[in-house]
Amino acid sequence: MYLTKEEERTYEGEYGWANQICMKILVRLGELFKATKLIPISSAHVSGVSYKLLGDAPTDFLEELANSGARVKVKATLNPQSLDQEYLCEKLPSGLCKKQSGVLEYFKKMGFAQSLTCTPYYLETPKRGSHLAWAESSAVVYTNSVIGAWTNREGGPSALAAAIIGKTPNHGIHKAENRQPKVLVKLERQLQNEVEFGALGIYLGKFLEDKIPTIQGLQYASKDNLKQLGAALASTGMVNMFHLESAAVKAREIEKISMEAEDIKCTVESLSTASKSKPDLIFIGCPHCSLNEIKQIADLIGNRKVKKGMEFWVCTSHYIKEKAKKYVEKIEKSGCHVVADTCAVVTWTDKLGIKTIMTNSAKTAHYAPTLNKAETMFAPLKECLKVALEG
Ligand code: F3S
């Protein structure tokens, strides 16, 4: 892999251990994927911020990096942490809050913006065609497919290294030829709600492996529904983007598959594992809610109240929570908690006694049985609200 003189000096350690280790991570990754050089990035987004998922050894590494002078060279944002200060911190063992605060301190010292969201594109939308180094698979698929910026699916360490160096190896979908669709997906009927968009993603992720699809007949889809599709697609597969079918693609000869109504129905059903009829937690906001979704929830709740004893969270970033203030007030008046900077999957729901999670997110329904040791009820927002408000 070609390195400029400056990059070589970093690699040899002239700018200190922290920069050297980050450069070594990028070069090793580049060699593995046969990259020819490093390219500048506009931003980096780092996952592995939640102490629940990190644990102690990676936290020690972050501390060492921060104390050895690692500083970001580009705009760099962070994924959700494992709790929020307002609601969950006091419900969880205090040692955990302390550990999480330590992780945030180290990132802060390195210059990361405390965005704490899996939807960093709501804070600042990347430019179409710009190169990024983002971890967080749902954001990767959304930014490649809906926004049109270019990023591979980075792991936490490689996104961190890219933030410190300001560059990433030019492989994968940083190259135009690797962004071409390989499979045309025909939908046999229009999708009805966000749950069906998620189910489509779960199904295709398993089926496609790493082949980029172009999906026919989704022109009517909202950005929020495409967010659900992308998050689910990345949960079960290695695909980092999808296309919505265009005339240019139509003309090309590629593999074709049909999605029958029955495939969607079976996938939706498979994402509900609960043996009980009532959830311990209703969770909306995976990926983190947009302003539009918060407004929609507030409108649907109206003046009604959440049933006594029902735990109901809507998760988003503190940035959107602040922007959506009047809707947030309305939602919280109902007894629902608008929880910022974290989500049900990356917090310790098991320590809160939650054994069954109801959600409209296919990604959460997919991960909760393993990451939360919880059973799932997978249903559209309107049904989740019905259970929250009517029992
Ligand atoms: Fe975001 Fe948590 Fe879902 S980090 S994508 S809300 S699992």
Side-chain angles (χ1 to χ4, degrees):
M1 193 169 134
Y2 168 78
L3 293 184
T4 64
K5 288 275 168 279
E6 189 68 1
E7 289 163 357
E8 266 177 21
R9 279 197 282 273
T10 309
Y11 189 89
E12 293 307 329
E14 274 189 45
Y15 301 111
W17 170 82
N19 286 307
Q20 182 185 34
I21 189 86
C22 289
M23 181 59 88
K24 286 196 165 179
I25 290 172
L26 296 183
V27 170
R28 183 79 191 107
L29 188 72
E31 284 170 353
L32 267 175
F33 289 99
K34 305 201 174 3
T36 51
K37 60 179 181 177
L38 295 174
I39 50 171
I41 51 168
S42 311
S43 67
H45 179 75
V46 169
S47 61
V49 177
S50 155
Y51 176 71
K52 174 189 161 187
L53 303 180
L54 267 178
D56 285 327
T59 303
D60 293 345
F61 176 65
L62 289 172
E63 181 178 14
E64 218 176 325
L65 265 187
N67 291 340
S68 305
R71 298 294 179 265
V72 301
K73 292 215 175 47
V74 290
K75 184 182 170 51
T77 46
L78 297 176
N79 232 25
Q81 58 171 330
S82 52
L83 44 85
D84 73 316
Q85 298 303 326
E86 284 172 26
Y87 184 59
L88 294 176
C89 196
E90 62 185 39
K91 291 179 178 289
L92 290 162
S94 61
L96 296 176
C97 301
K98 223 170 139 203
K99 291 272 191 186
Q100 181 64 68
S101 301
V103 172
L104 295 192
E105 253 332 289
Y106 308 139
F107 276 121
K108 197 171 174 191
K109 197 165 178 183
M110 287 189 270
F112 283 85
Q114 307 278 296
S115 53
L116 302 173
T117 183
C118 47
T119 55
Y121 40 84
Y122 293 148
L123 279 59
E124 189 179 325
T125 311
K127 284 205 180 81
R128 215 178 154 70
S130 58
H131 291 270
L132 322 173
W134 282 17
E136 175 44 49
S137 59
S138 67
V140 166
V141 177
Y142 190 88
T143 198
N144 278 311
S145 316
V146 180
I147 297 172
W150 295 20
T151 177
N152 284 321
R153 187 191 303 193
E154 301 292 343
S158 65
L160 173 62
I164 302 299
I165 300 297
K167 294 180 180 179
T168 194
N170 72 330
H171 70 96
I173 54 179
H174 285 292
K175 294 179 160 182
E177 64 268 29
N178 295 335
R179 299 176 66 86
Q180 297 305 315
K182 295 275 187 297
V183 179
L184 171 65
V185 179
K186 288 185 173 193
L187 296 178
E188 293 304 327
R189 71 158 170 83
Q190 192 160 325
L191 301 177
Q192 304 297 311
N193 51 39
E194 77 278 21
V195 154
E196 293 199 346
F197 276 86
L200 172 64
I202 293 286
Y203 182 93
L204 287 180
K206 287 182 198 161
F207 180 84
L208 293 169
E209 294 165 1
D210 62 351
K211 286 183 262 176
I212 295 174
T214 184
I215 308 172
Q216 193 177 64
L218 281 190
Q219 283 71 13
Y220 61 90
S222 69
K223 286 186 177 174
D224 289 328
N225 282 339
L226 294 178
K227 180 175 70 171
Q228 288 299 330
L229 164 62
L233 186 67
S235 303
T236 50
M238 285 313 295
V239 182
N240 292 325
M241 68 179 294
F242 58 83
H243 296 272
L244 298 182
E245 194 204 19
S246 67
V249 170
K250 221 182 258 179
R252 292 181 47 224
E253 266 310 307
I254 55 175
E255 184 187 339
K256 296 180 180 60
I257 63 160
S258 290
M259 277 292 292
E260 311 288 338
E262 193 58 21
D263 298 327
I264 298 284
K265 187 172 167 274
C266 290
T267 309
V268 170
E269 284 169 5
S270 72
L271 289 165
S272 286
T273 60
S275 42
K276 298 197 311 186
S277 60
K278 288 272 177 289
D280 302 314
L281 168 70
I282 298 174
F283 164 49
I284 307 295
C286 171
H288 273 173
C289 282
S290 63
L291 182 58
N292 184 49
E293 287 171 310
I294 300 266
K295 177 181 181 307
Q296 190 195 4
I297 295 165
D299 289 346
L300 286 169
I301 290 180
N303 293 320
R304 294 180 291 168
K305 296 270 179 272
V306 171
K307 275 269 171 205
K308 217 170 175 290
M310 181 66 76
E311 190 70 11
F312 181 13
W313 303 351
V314 169
C315 289
T316 189
S317 61
H318 56 261
Y319 171 81
I320 291 289
K321 187 173 176 180
E322 183 57 33
K323 261 186 120 173
K325 221 169 180 172
K326 64 176 176 181
Y327 305 120
V328 168
E329 275 168 19
K330 199 169 164 188
I331 293 171
E332 294 202 316
K333 233 174 153 179
S334 74
C336 166
H337 302 280
V338 178
V339 182
D341 303 337
T342 186
C343 78
V345 177
V346 302
T347 195
W348 293 273
T349 48
D350 51 338
K351 293 191 194 305
L352 299 169
I354 292 163
K355 293 193 171 64
T356 307
I357 299 176
M358 183 175 204
T359 183
N360 66 344
S361 161
K363 176 170 177 173
T364 293
H366 175 72
Y367 282 120
T370 43
L371 292 180
N372 300 83
K373 299 183 200 78
E375 294 192 317
T376 54
M377 298 168 76
F378 181 48
L381 173 65
K382 285 184 184 159
E383 269 180 53
C384 292
L385 286 177
K386 197 164 185 281
V387 172
L389 301 166
E390 295 171 21

